[in-house]
Structures are given as structure tokens and as C-alpha cells.
Amino acid sequence: MSDYNFSGLTYRQREILSFQGWSVSMAGFLPQPRPSTMRKLIDRGLAVEHETKFHGLKVLEYEVPTPVHMAWCKICADSVDTGKV
């Protein structure tokens, strides 16, 4: 059993956990998540918001801490046979 609450997440929230967050460098293949998408992850301690500057603009980036990502990977690995994540 995980110490983290991964219940009721959307596809996009699960995607953020799988990629260990979102940064400007990922914008070419993964669009920046909406703040509403990130709110549940941040409130549950599954992600951390950082502000960075990119070409003079302030951009929000999101980090999934390594222990959270590892717990998420375990949930995914354990559910391979059931098809449920």
C-alpha cells in the first residue's frame, strides 16, 4: 500500500506523475498542464510548483518528487496484469 493518495486522478494527472512533472523543455511533446489539473496533485503533496523564467516570461513548472514518482511506478507495475491504474 502506498503512503500517497493516487485515487481519482485524471489521465493528464497520471501522465504528469509518469513523466515526473513538467518543465519548459518538455513543451515540444507535452503541453503545459493547466493549474486546475495540477491543484489536486499539489494539494496531495504529489507535485511541487516552481516558477522559472523562459525568454523573459515567468513560467510555472511542476516537479514530482522522486519518492512520489517511485511509488507511482510501483502502483503502475503492480497493476500491469489488471489493467487498472
Side-chain angles (χ1 to χ4, degrees), residues 29-84:
F29 69 93
L30 192 66
Q32 183 183 28
R34 295 175 182 240
S36 59
T37 299
M38 295 306 300
R39 184 57 35 215
K40 185 186 288 185
L41 297 178
I42 292 168
D43 289 349
R44 291 183 182 184
L46 303 177
V48 179
E49 182 179 273
H50 301 284
E51 188 176 279
T52 190
K53 290 191 178 182
F54 180 73
H55 295 286
L57 299 172
K58 291 181 182 178
V59 179
L60 293 178
E61 294 184 324
Y62 302 97
E63 170 193 359
V64 173
T66 301
V68 175
H69 179 70
M70 290 173 61
W72 175 247
C73 288
K74 177 156 179 29
I75 296 274
C76 293
D78 290 348
S79 66
V80 167
D81 292 333
T82 66
K84 296 179 183 177

